[in-house]
Amino acid sequence: MLGLDDDAAVVVRELACSDEDCPPLETVVAVLPTDGANRRWTLHRAVADITEEDLRALLAREPEGA
């Protein structure tokens, strides 16, 4: 979906949040290419609840901090 090189790393982490203002779980997707800028997206739900459609919509958005 992102046209990455074979050497690019993709990290998916499900994180718990104890702050009052955030959901109990969020999933962070980070793309770390060998050349170019790192990109990151956050989805406010557990990994098990993410569909392919959710992922496609997420990655179509601008990365965080872009």
Side-chain angles (χ1 to χ4, degrees):
M1 292 185 339
L2 295 173
L4 301 174
D5 293 334
D6 290 340
D7 294 333
V10 177
V11 179
V12 178
R13 295 197 60 194
E14 183 179 87
L15 304 170
C17 184
S18 59
D19 292 341
E20 289 181 26
D21 296 338
C22 70
L25 290 175
E26 66 181 12
T27 299
V28 176
V29 178
V31 175
L32 312 167
T34 54
D35 58 350
N38 295 341
R39 295 175 278 174
R40 176 185 156 164
W41 297 265
T42 302
L43 192 60
H44 296 288
R45 64 179 64 129
V47 170
D49 297 333
I50 297 173
T51 66
E52 183 177 344
E53 184 177 308
D54 293 333
L55 189 56
R56 287 184 183 281
L58 179 73
L59 298 178
R61 297 190 322 223
E62 284 292 317
E64 296 168 16

